[in-house]
């Protein structure tokens, strides 16, 4: 029927993908009959279920494209497209029903929902097997669904723990970053203080040297003044002492004056 329909490139591509998935489903169910291991059967059924979901999505796209082109096509062409769509839906439903059959068969074979565990006793294992055999397929499916829900809840709790751990790690990293920056500022301030102390020490040493120099100068001046005073005193006390030189700028002591008088009867010529 597909060859007699005149489709647009987009519609033809979607139709081709649907047919490819139908062929893959047919081959998959044929392989499923040859698989004896229940775990491999479950995996094969999961893959076939994904194919069915893909077919359902493509059929919806096919229907959407048909509606978009409905105004441009004559009524008989639109009817052919709708018939083709209904045919694909029926084929997909047949695969869905086949999947349910295999799921029921596989559910009767599986006892993993009531796994006895590594430390369970043999009577407990037999009770679990008997319990599983007495349950209907729907009950087994409900039990499996419950187990999956519990697993999902455990996964969600684990995700929350991971999320909280990430938040704590982020906060810790932020705190460490702030403390590192603060320590860097403290180190810079300590370097500045050390530099200031070094400059102050050099300044104190320089002032000490200047004070020592000033003291030496004052002491020398004091010695000179004392020496000058001593020489002046000695000159005054011993004016005729020739061993003592005159002080430059200081007038020599005045010579002793002798009074001349004329005796009676004598006169100067």
């Amino acid at each position: 029927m597909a060859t007699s329909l005149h489709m647009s490139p987009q519609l033809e591509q979607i139709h081709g993908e649907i047919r490819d998935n139908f062929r893959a489903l047919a081959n998959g169910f044929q392989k499923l009959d040859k698989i004896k291991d229940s775990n491999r059967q479950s995996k094969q059924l999961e893959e076939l279920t994904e194919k069915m979901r893909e077919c359902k999505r493509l059929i919806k796209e096919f229907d959407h494209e048909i509606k978009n082109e409905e105004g441009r096509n004559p009524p008989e062409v639109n009817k052919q497209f709708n018939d083709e769509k209904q045919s694909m839906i029926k084929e997909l439903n047949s695969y869905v029903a086949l999947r349910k059959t295999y799921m029921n068969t596989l559910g009767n074979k599986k006892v993993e929902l009531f796994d006895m565990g590594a430390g369970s006793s043999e009577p407990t294992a037999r009770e679990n097997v008997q319990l599983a055999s007495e349950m209907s397929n729907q009950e087994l499916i409900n039990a499996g669904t419950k187990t999956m829900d519990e697993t999902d809840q455990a996964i969600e709790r684990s995700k929350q723990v991971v999320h909280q751990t990430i938040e704590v790690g982020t906060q810790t990293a932020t705190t460490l970053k702030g403390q590192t920056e603060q320590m860097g500022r403290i180190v810079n301030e300590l370097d500045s203080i050390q530099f200031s102390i070094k400059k102050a020490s050099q300044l104190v040493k320089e002032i000490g040297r200047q004070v020592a120099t000033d003291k030496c100068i004052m002491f020398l001046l004091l010695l000179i003044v004392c020496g000058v005073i001593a020489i002046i005193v000695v000159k005054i006390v011993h004016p005729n002492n020739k061993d003592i030189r005159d002080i430059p700028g200081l007038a020599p002591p005045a010579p002793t004056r002798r009074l001349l008088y004329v005796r009676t009867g004598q006169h100067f010529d």
Side-chain angles (χ1 to χ4, degrees):
M1 187 174 182
T3 56
S4 61
L5 292 176
H6 180 69
M7 300 181 182
S8 64
Q10 181 68 20
L11 200 60
E12 187 174 359
Q13 180 180 358
I14 297 172
H15 186 270
E17 291 180 3
I18 294 172
R19 287 302 170 189
D20 291 339
N21 283 319
F22 281 158
R23 284 191 291 272
L25 287 171
N27 294 330
F29 279 109
Q30 289 178 1
K31 292 180 181 178
L32 191 61
D33 292 331
K34 301 177 182 179
I35 297 175
K36 302 302 180 182
D37 184 63
S38 58
N39 292 327
R40 291 179 58 191
Q41 287 180 348
S42 298
K43 186 176 180 181
Q44 181 71 11
L45 279 175
E46 290 177 1
E47 294 177 357
L48 294 175
T49 303
E50 289 298 325
K51 290 287 185 182
M52 294 177 194
R53 292 195 184 102
E54 181 67 15
C55 286
K56 184 178 179 181
R57 183 186 65 81
L58 291 171
I59 290 174
K60 287 182 178 180
E61 290 185 7
F62 186 83
D63 182 54
H64 181 71
E65 290 294 329
I66 289 174
K67 290 179 180 179
N68 289 338
E69 298 179 3
E70 188 173 3
R72 299 191 296 269
N73 295 327
E76 59 273 10
V77 175
N78 291 329
K79 184 178 182 304
Q80 290 177 352
F81 284 155
N82 288 324
D83 291 342
E84 179 66 16
K85 181 188 71 173
Q86 293 299 326
S87 174
M88 291 188 295
I89 292 174
K90 290 179 181 179
E91 188 172 357
L92 178 61
N93 288 335
S94 66
Y95 287 121
V96 172
L98 188 60
R99 172 186 171 276
K100 289 181 180 179
T101 302
Y102 278 102
M103 287 293 292
N104 292 334
T105 303
L106 187 61
N108 290 330
K109 291 180 180 179
K110 281 197 169 183
V111 196
E112 281 78 6
L113 294 175
F114 305 95
D115 190 7
M116 57 183 173
S120 300
S121 60
E122 185 177 354
T124 303
R126 286 199 299 267
E127 291 174 1
N128 290 336
V129 173
Q130 184 179 1
L131 179 61
S133 62
E134 292 175 356
M135 294 177 67
S136 63
N137 293 334
Q138 186 61 39
E139 290 174 343
L140 286 171
I141 293 173
N142 293 336
T145 304
K146 181 180 178 181
T147 303
M148 291 176 64
D149 291 339
E150 293 175 353
T151 304
D152 292 339
Q153 292 176 2
I155 292 174
E156 289 297 328
R157 289 193 296 269
S158 301
K159 288 181 179 179
Q160 292 178 0
V161 172
V162 171
H163 183 67
Q164 292 175 358
T165 305
I166 292 174
E167 288 182 351
V168 172
T170 303
Q171 294 176 359
T172 304
T174 304
T175 304
L176 288 175
K177 183 179 179 181
Q179 291 178 352
T180 303
E181 292 177 353
Q182 184 177 3
M183 291 178 65
R185 289 193 296 269
I186 292 172
V187 171
N188 293 333
E189 291 176 359
L190 289 175
D191 291 339
S192 300
I193 293 172
Q194 185 177 3
F195 180 75
S196 300
I197 292 173
K198 186 176 180 181
K199 294 293 291 185
S201 300
Q202 293 177 355
L203 183 60
V204 168
K205 290 180 182 179
E206 186 68 24
I207 293 173
R209 285 195 294 268
Q210 291 179 359
V211 170
T213 304
D214 293 341
K215 287 183 179 180
C216 291
I217 292 174
M218 293 295 293
F219 182 72
L220 291 176
L221 291 175
L222 181 62
L223 288 179
I224 292 172
V225 171
C226 291
V228 171
I229 293 173
I231 293 172
I232 293 172
V233 171
V234 172
K235 276 292 186 180
I236 294 173
V237 175
H238 301 286
N240 296 324
N241 190 352
K242 302 299 181 180
D243 295 333
I244 302 174
R245 297 181 179 180
D246 295 333
I247 299 174
L250 184 64
T256 305
R257 296 181 179 180
R258 295 181 179 180
L259 297 176
L260 299 177
Y261 64 93
V262 179
R263 293 181 181 179
T264 306
Q266 294 180 352
H267 61 275
F268 292 100
D269 293 334

